[in-house]
Amino acid sequence: MKLIDTRSAVGHVLCHDMTQIIPGVYKGARFRKGHIVTEEDIPVLLSMGKEHLYVWEKAPGMLHEDEAAERLRALCQNEHMRATEVKEGKIELLAGCDGLFQVDVDRLNALNGVDELMIATRHTNTAVQKGDKLAGMRVIPLVIQEERLREAESLAGEGPILSLTPWKLRTCGLITTGGEVAQGLVQDAFTPVIEEKLSAYGITVTERCLPGDDRGAITAAALDYHARGVDLVLCTGGMSVDPDDRTPGAIRDTGAEIVSYGAPVLPGAMLLLGYFADGVPILGLPGCVMYSRATVFDLLLPRIAAGVRITRPELKALGHGGLCLGCPECHYPICPFGKGD
């Protein structure tokens, strides 16, 4: 680039977009990168407060902001995302489908540690819909040394640092425990809540039963549903330490691998998460899922629906940010609940 007086800019090529702001009326690029300045442009540029202009002079080892933004985009985008056109040196990534958005936070932090560039994203493990904004990236100066981008590319390593995984699970077997429910003494309030939560991810309850508090019957139902090929098995209720609560033992009796009985989240501490040998998840859901707007189940469901296996360390890391504040008017997921580092 070189800096010249606007009045002497006729015939020169602009090296970046020029934004015009008319308060309450318009904000946008009045002149685009690559525009050749004409005599008629001079008064417009001056009215925009542009007494001087940067015009493009290509130099070895230097990248224009648009080229650099494209290099950053390539480090981030996966096949289920689409990119906007570069505008004023910035590119945004949008969701190409409904699904689970995830960020490799360590690699993101490493990239943002490189001077003169930036990438901003949504929180990782977020449920998104087609068209949602996922991330934005740009470099800070108008031109940047190409070596900065090479450093970023080296730090990024193989594969995109962002991912969007479409929802994969479609069917659920629901086991509602509790003798009082099985005997009709108490109305089953759990099933409608679960069906509503699952439907947001395209999952339908195709099998259901009320086995009461019979440990063997709960186990048999879970094994039966798994044998029928459901994508997910949920057991609701009976998760406390009360001697009549048999669900944790019944899930263990299925032979599923137990990731954890207990989660550092309130509400939802008594959650049980396990997986059958073929990867089908089985969960024991505490009673809070029935009456609390947001619980540990809501934090895990996006990953479960996308078929992403949750590890014990990932579950235990939910403690940071895992305290619901019980706001009088709940705005979840637009709130701090479940959002750690």
Side-chain angles (χ1 to χ4, degrees):
M1 292 187 304
K2 68 177 180 179
L3 185 67
I4 64 172
D5 188 290
T6 299
R7 295 167 184 82
S8 304
V10 175
H12 286 279
V13 179
L14 296 179
C15 67
H16 63 94
D17 294 350
M18 306 292 293
T19 300
Q20 184 179 38
I21 300 175
I22 303 175
V25 178
Y26 174 79
K27 178 184 177 182
R30 179 64 177 81
F31 300 101
R32 291 287 188 181
K33 167 198 167 185
H35 176 75
I36 300 174
V37 180
T38 67
E39 192 70 47
E40 293 75 20
D41 296 334
I42 302 302
V44 179
L45 288 163
L46 292 173
S47 73
M48 293 164 56
K50 305 300 182 182
E51 293 285 340
H52 296 85
L53 299 175
Y54 282 107
V55 291
W56 184 243
E57 281 189 323
K58 185 75 173 179
M62 301 297 292
L63 295 177
H64 185 271
E65 60 178 353
D66 290 356
E67 295 176 276
E70 288 288 358
R71 297 268 288 265
L72 292 177
R73 176 204 56 76
L75 302 180
C76 298
Q77 186 178 4
N78 88 340
E79 67 273 21
H80 298 296
M81 304 173 189
R82 64 179 182 89
T84 63
E85 292 185 6
V86 62
K87 183 177 181 181
E88 299 178 352
K90 179 181 69 176
I91 296 176
E92 294 180 341
L93 292 177
L94 308 178
C97 64
D98 296 356
L100 172 71
F101 174 66
Q102 293 182 297
V103 181
D104 188 323
V105 178
D106 289 339
R107 287 200 288 163
L108 174 66
N109 291 339
L111 291 178
N112 280 325
V114 179
D115 288 340
E116 300 186 328
L117 59 83
M118 59 76 60
I119 302 169
T121 75
R122 286 177 176 244
H123 276 95
T124 189
N125 294 318
T126 300
V128 297
Q129 295 181 323
K130 183 178 181 179
D132 282 352
K133 187 185 300 184
L134 304 178
M137 59 225 59
R138 64 169 304 148
V139 296
I140 307 305
L142 294 173
V143 293
I144 187 172
Q145 293 179 356
E146 188 174 10
E147 182 58 35
R148 299 277 193 213
L149 275 299
R150 292 198 188 100
E151 180 184 355
E153 288 162 348
S154 176
L155 289 170
E158 295 295 325
I161 69 166
L162 310 180
S163 67
L164 177 56
T165 306
W167 306 132
K168 295 180 180 177
L169 275 61
R170 291 291 178 261
T171 59
C172 172
L174 181 61
I175 303 167
T176 303
T177 69
E180 69 282 6
V181 178
Q183 297 169 37
L185 301 176
V186 175
Q187 182 179 0
D188 173 19
F190 232 131
T191 296
V193 172
I194 296 301
E195 289 181 324
E196 181 179 0
K197 289 182 182 292
L198 293 179
S199 67
Y201 299 91
I203 302 173
T204 302
V205 174
T206 57
E207 309 285 347
R208 70 189 73 200
C209 65
L210 304 173
D213 294 311
D214 186 307
R215 177 167 170 168
I218 297 170
T219 299
L223 291 172
D224 178 47
Y225 292 167
H226 179 237
R228 294 189 193 187
V230 298
D231 299 323
L232 170 67
V233 177
L234 295 179
C235 302
T236 64
M239 294 301 298
S240 77
V241 295
D242 188 294
D244 289 330
D245 286 345
R246 312 289 175 77
T247 307
I251 295 176
R252 286 194 175 92
D253 291 345
T254 66
E257 176 190 349
I258 306 301
V259 175
S260 178
Y261 174 33
V265 177
L266 291 173
M270 305 306 288
L271 173 111
L272 187 150
L273 171 64
Y275 289 92
F276 288 102
D278 59 0
V280 171
I282 179 169
L283 284 81
L285 302 181
C288 62
V289 174
M290 179 172 50
Y291 56 80
S292 294
R293 169 69 175 80
T295 71
V296 66
F297 185 49
D298 298 282
L299 301 185
L300 299 182
L301 187 52
R303 277 178 271 186
I304 291 168
V308 175
R309 191 177 181 111
I310 301 167
T311 67
R312 181 178 176 86
E314 288 171 336
L315 183 62
K316 297 305 182 181
L318 292 176
H320 184 203
L323 177 65
C324 175
L325 301 180
C327 302
E329 184 177 351
C330 180
H331 296 284
Y332 181 82
I334 307 173
C335 76
F337 181 55
K339 299 177 177 66
D341 293 333

